[in-house]
Amino acid sequence: MPAADSYEWRTAPCPECADPAARLVPGDSDRADILLCTRCPAHGRLPYCDPAVIRARLPLGVVLAMCDGTLRIGIPAAPHGLNTYTRSVVTLATEHGLLPVWRPSVRRHRVILAAPGPEGAWGWMEVGARSGRILRATIYPHGCSASGIRAAGPRDVRQLVASLSVPGSVAGC
Ligand SMILES: [Zn+2]
């Protein structure tokens, strides 16, 4: 079991509305197994979230915890030695709704990038363990059902990540 500080904690994303402002809070009814989403009603959805569904739509390696009345997720912390550019691309991916889950290795680290939600983008990036530099990435912008896009080298990978749509920016759905 990894130590608590080997995770980065953030608010759990809602798999139904994928609204970045959503918080998942305990229901006030006798249904302790159900969570309420604070933003789903704004998107015309029922506020109820099933924790099992939330769990199923998060990348493997992410842990869940209730903290201060809000569901939070713990993402395995990034390995040491990443260069500034690599860190900025990972931050950019986060801003585009992707959750980075690191799989550190001796030669090359892999980071799985996955957006919560049924049609969420998904992919992975490889980073040289010694250089801390991005090697390549493959991203499926519309989930597994559509074809993936590959990019090689830090600049092209950054461009690929930047081209992904930002959650909450899609109007009228
Ligand atoms: Zn929601």
Side-chain angles (χ1 to χ4, degrees):
M1 185 71 188
D5 63 357
S6 61
Y7 287 97
E8 285 167 16
W9 294 92
R10 62 184 70 178
T11 307
C14 173
E16 299 299 333
C17 65
D19 190 323
R23 288 189 308 118
L24 299 171
V25 300
D28 55 0
S29 66
D30 50 354
R31 297 291 307 273
D33 54 329
I34 292 293
L35 293 165
L36 291 178
C37 171
T38 55
R39 290 294 296 162
C40 267
H43 298 275
R45 295 170 187 270
L46 287 172
Y48 306 105
C49 280
D50 187 331
V53 172
I54 295 165
R55 171 73 273 175
R57 293 199 182 152
L58 288 170
L60 213 69
V62 172
V63 295
L64 294 173
M66 192 60 84
C67 180
D68 295 333
T70 300
L71 188 70
R72 294 191 190 273
I73 54 171
I75 299 163
H80 294 289
L82 303 179
N83 69 26
T84 311
Y85 195 83
T86 299
R87 283 201 300 268
S88 77
V89 174
V90 174
T91 303
L92 186 67
T94 309
E95 286 164 7
H96 282 74
L98 296 166
L99 293 172
V101 179
W102 286 95
R103 306 269 158 79
S105 169
V106 181
R107 283 187 58 217
R108 63 185 58 160
H109 305 313
R110 215 164 218 251
V111 55
I112 311 295
L113 300 165
E119 308 282 297
W122 176 86
W124 64 86
M125 197 162 87
E126 281 181 6
V127 176
R130 220 161 37 165
S131 64
R133 187 172 172 273
I134 296 170
L135 303 172
R136 63 185 66 83
T138 301
I139 293 186
Y140 297 81
H142 305 289
C144 298
S145 53
S147 53
I149 304 172
R150 288 161 190 255
R155 275 174 194 282
D156 285 1
V157 169
R158 186 178 220 284
Q159 228 164 43
L160 173 57
V161 170
S163 73
L164 299 170
S165 59
V166 178
S169 66
V170 183
C173 59

